[in-house]
Structure formats: C-alpha cells, structure tokens
Amino acid sequence: RLFFAGTTHQPQSIFGSVSADFENHTPGTNDDDAVNITIASDQVNVIKHLLPGRFLQILTTSAEFTLSGGTGTSPVTPTNVNVLRETTFGTSQIRPLRAGNSTILVQKGTEKVKEITFDLDTDGLLGVDLTVLADHITRGGITDMIWQQEPELILWFVGADGALIGLTYDRANGTVGWHGHQLGDSGIVESITAIPSGAEDQVYLS
C-alpha cells in the first residue's frame, strides 16, 4: 500500500491505498480495499512523518505511534488496523531516518536527538536521548541531518548557526560519540546530503 497522512483538514488521519494499486484510495471492507483511520487520542497529534520499520511508524507533534495489523504478522486491512502510542517526545519538521535498527529523530524544539528502538521487555518502542552525552553541542537547534554508512557509521547534523556536527553511531559495538567540525574561512553549512559512490558514502555540503 501507499500511505499518506496529515492533511490540512484531517491532521491526524492516515490513508492507505488499495493493495498493489497505489493511486486507488476507494474505501471498502474487503481485505485489499483502501484503509482510512484517524488516531484516537486525548489531544490533536498533527502527523509530521511516516517511517517504515518493524511496523509503520507515525511521528507527530506530540507523540510517536505504530500502525500494524494487530497481532504478530497479521496484515493491515480496513477491518484490522491497530494504532498504538509508543512514546511521547514529539518530532520536528526535520525528516527522521533509519540508522541500523533504530529510528533517529530530532525532537520538537530541535535541540534533542532521540534514538527510537524496539524493546523486547516492553514489546514496544523505547526512546533514548542521544544528546545527553553532550547537550551543549546541539544547543541553538538543528536544521538538517543525514546518515553516512561507509566508511564509518556517522550521523551528520547541521546546527542552526551553520555548524557541522557529527555523531559516530555504531550501537552494535557500543560506540556513540559526538564531534564538532570547524569549517575553514568562517564557512557555514546550509544543507547536507550523502550519496553512495563505490565503497563509500560521499557527504556533500552546501
């Protein structure tokens, strides 16, 4: 299915297409018909991002939800949809990303970076504040981020002041560390991206 969410007039609704027919959103009750659902919550949670993971992750202004078919590997159908609130951080406008088995998001306020992972003990998502290791380095806010997998596992961030900030992120080997990078000639970063090129991911800055 192709999923859309968060329209102007339905900010906490999710719309899934007919199975294998991405432009068809005709509602119905058959298992392969389109799926339309509105998050049931005690407050308005404007949907900012959708991200595929173990389940479809719905990231909003006030909380993080997952959408699934209920139990086990049951598929999502118009009559079998389960939306659960997992964490209550709230995400910013900055596009979250998948790094290894984790979701990395910039929390609303743009100064904190959260690592969202699946926790077997709670059978749900668990959030860890990565900036607690060096909260001064993102003070003032973040405006952009990307994930570089080769030759090293590094999350790159752009500070609101134009600073280039790196986070070595190799959770499997217990390596998580922040580092700042001063650009020559008083340069500031406006945006950043990473492009696979041979055996490396090349990082480009404007």
Side-chain angles (χ1 to χ4, degrees):
R1 302 179 186 275
L2 173 65
F3 282 90
F4 294 100
T7 66
T8 301
H9 299 292
Q10 295 175 281
Q12 56 185 35
S13 294
I14 303 110
F15 310 93
S17 72
V18 171
S19 294
D21 189 0
F22 297 155
E23 296 182 0
N24 186 352
H25 285 260
T26 305
T29 56
N30 294 325
D31 285 354
D32 61 349
D33 283 338
V35 175
N36 293 341
I37 186 170
T38 298
I39 297 174
S41 178
D42 55 354
Q43 59 183 341
V44 175
N45 294 280
V46 178
I47 298 172
K48 294 293 186 181
H49 310 282
L50 298 178
L51 202 66
R54 187 171 184 265
F55 302 115
L56 181 65
Q57 297 177 21
I58 306 164
L59 309 178
T60 77
T61 52
S62 301
E64 291 69 50
F65 299 82
T66 55
L67 183 149
S68 66
T71 59
T73 57
S74 299
V76 173
T77 71
T79 58
N80 185 38
V81 182
N82 189 33
V83 176
L84 294 177
R85 177 160 45 192
E86 302 281 1
T87 55
T88 55
F89 299 125
T91 188
S92 68
Q93 295 280 10
I94 300 167
R95 175 73 179 167
L97 48 81
R98 293 286 291 177
N101 293 323
S102 303
T103 295
I104 306 297
L105 65 84
V106 177
Q107 190 174 341
K108 62 181 179 181
T110 72
E111 289 191 347
K112 292 183 178 180
V113 178
K114 296 292 186 180
E115 170 194 57
I116 310 294
T117 56
F118 184 77
D119 181 54
L120 287 174
D121 293 334
T122 60
D123 193 30
L125 298 183
L126 180 68
V128 175
D129 184 2
L130 294 175
T131 44
V132 74
L133 301 170
D135 59 1
H136 67 283
I137 205 164
T138 57
R139 194 167 296 147
I142 294 169
T143 61
D144 201 0
M145 69 172 174
I146 55 99
W147 170 233
Q148 181 185 24
Q149 299 187 74
E150 293 288 349
E152 305 294 340
L153 300 172
I154 301 177
L155 289 158
W156 292 102
F157 301 87
V158 177
D161 59 355
L164 177 62
I165 304 166
L167 172 63
T168 299
Y169 181 79
D170 187 357
R171 179 60 80 185
N173 292 308
T175 303
V176 180
W178 291 91
H179 35 94
H181 297 263
Q182 185 73 36
L183 299 185
D185 200 25
S186 302
I188 62 172
V189 184
E190 296 177 334
S191 64
I192 190 169
T193 192
I195 301 173
S197 177
E200 295 187 2
D201 293 338
Q202 294 185 348
V203 176
Y204 286 85
L205 315 173
S206 65

